[in-house]
Amino acid sequence: MILGCIADDFTGATDLANTLTRRGMHTVQTIGIPKAAAPEADAIVVALKSRTIPAAEAVQQSLDACRWLKANGAKQIFFKYCSTFDSTDQGNIGPVADALLDELQSPFTIACPAFPENGRTIYLGHLFVGNELLSDSSMRNHPLTPMKDSNLVRVLGKQTPHKVGLVPWKIVKQGAPAIAEAFAALEAEGIRHAIVDAVEDKDLENIGAASSALALITGGSGMAIGLPANFRVARLIPKREGASAVPKIGGPGIVLSGSCSAATLGQVAAFAAKHPAHAIDPVALAAAPEKAVAELLGWAREKLKKGPALIYASAPPERVAAIQAQLGREQAGTMIEHALGAIASGLADQGVRRFVVAGGETSGAVVSALKVEALEIGPQIAPGVPACLSYGSPRYALALKSGNFGGPQFFTEALKALA
Ligand code: ADP
């Protein structure tokens, strides 16, 4: 392994693994720190669920992951968080980055959540989401990490006792040598974290090239765009174009959807128009969970004899609000995640090996129900969503999609890509 990555959530890890793979690194995503030996790969992305847990726990989990990655050969560590810098004054970006710097005995790192291709740009330290400042975007109302300040120098400054600086775009646009000089100058001033401006994807390539000597890099998945080239220049990886195809897995394919995002609702409607689809009734599920899961499994067994099928809890906002009012927000979410996990494992017992899953939390629940510890990352199906193949036995072909990813026909495309 050359690059060791720590991601603070599950589908964010997949997104990062997809970016690295597309740029020619053979990448494996692990679900937490695997118990088995480290898989063979150029890059390993350890997926944690540490974005909104207490900072001390996030620090501990990230340090454990860092030590495991270093022990297995990582030459550089990448800490991946959301491109909207999801965090609070308590963390967890600042505390985790500080702890990783201490662990790596390094005085300086950068923080760059930009991904211009996906509408995340940084100018003079201010993060924009599309055409809006972060603090004017819907992220200002996020239930767990409301982002009410767009000035990342200030935001990160509240999360660390150390000095936070800025590499402005007028330097970034001059290219990698100027950026590397700016890093050295900031480090000499005693700055520990530098927010780096980026307004075009080309900037990320230059920032990546300027970061080759850093022990720790922090950023969004876009920040990884420029890293594989460093390892190619250093002759640590061969020249490769994108991912090699993952082996095809035959047999029936199922779509499980627990995402209620707008894109997913469209995908559910498009798939249900042409294929058997069964909605989960959360009230019936709450009343008799085992009976409801058994019925859904019986339904799926029949339908899968003839072709693919969909089981979904996805519902429009007003229906979700009504269910949450009746059952409680978290209780409803966890109950549905458990049910979809139980359905996945019941289907696996029936021999199903191809799963398309919609929803970040839902994907985490399904992968853990299937007892998957690591995923090999294959070619991209849609931006941010690669085809994955699980390690271990049996092997599953998986497409794990966070809420708003994928076009209307994503489910059909994904089943085809996995078959
Ligand atoms: P996304 O990636 O779109 O955010 P997630 O799977 O991360 O999707 O989150 C969706 C959450 O909504 C899950 O906890 C899921 O169990 C829950 N959920 C799904 N359907 C319903 C529903 N009909 N009512 C209430 N909650 C639901």
Side-chain angles (χ1 to χ4, degrees), residues 19-109:
T19 300
L20 290 169
T21 304
R22 292 185 74 211
R23 297 270 166 163
M25 289 188 95
H26 175 214
T27 306
V28 171
Q29 174 178 346
T30 66
I31 318 308
I33 299 172
K35 286 178 214 84
E40 281 287 318
D42 301 330
I44 295 186
V45 182
V46 177
L48 300 179
K49 208 167 178 290
S50 57
R51 185 170 293 169
T52 54
I53 62 177
E57 282 172 41
V59 163
Q60 192 53 53
Q61 290 184 19
S62 306
L63 283 176
D64 290 345
C66 178
R67 286 172 192 147
W68 183 84
L69 289 164
K70 290 295 283 182
N72 284 286
K75 298 186 191 325
Q76 188 171 47
I77 298 292
F78 184 93
F79 169 39
K80 193 273 176 197
Y81 39 76
C82 189
S83 65
T84 41
F85 213 70
D86 299 14
S87 53
T88 67
D89 289 353
Q90 286 69 49
N92 291 337
I93 296 173
V96 169
D98 276 330
L100 292 173
L101 281 174
D102 287 341
E103 175 68 21
L104 298 167
Q105 298 179 335
S106 174
F108 175 82
T109 189

Side-chain angles (χ1 to χ4, degrees), residues 9 11 257-262 264 280-282 312-317 319-324 327-338 340 357-364 401-405:
D9 90 331
T11 36
S257 178
S259 158
C260 301
S261 303
T264 306
I280 295 179
D281 173 359
Y312 64 100
S314 314
R319 195 136 22 109
V320 172
I323 295 295
Q324 288 177 337
L327 302 174
R329 174 192 292 267
E330 269 188 32
Q331 290 84 337
T334 311
M335 174 191 77
I336 292 166
E337 287 167 33
H338 278 154
L340 285 166
V357 189
E361 296 296 331
T362 308
S363 294
K401 175 197 97 82
S402 80
N404 273 321
F405 284 177

Side-chain angles (χ1 to χ4, degrees), residues 254 256 344 347-348 352-357 370 396-399 418:
I254 186 89
L256 300 173
L347 289 172
V352 176
R353 298 289 178 262
R354 257 188 314 140
F355 293 85
V356 174
V357 189
L370 293 176
Y396 300 105
L398 298 151
L418 300 179

Side-chain angles (χ1 to χ4, degrees), residues 114-128:
F115 204 161
E117 190 191 349
N118 295 343
R120 310 286 190 268
T121 54
I122 308 174
Y123 184 68
L124 293 178
H126 288 68
L127 179 58
F128 291 80

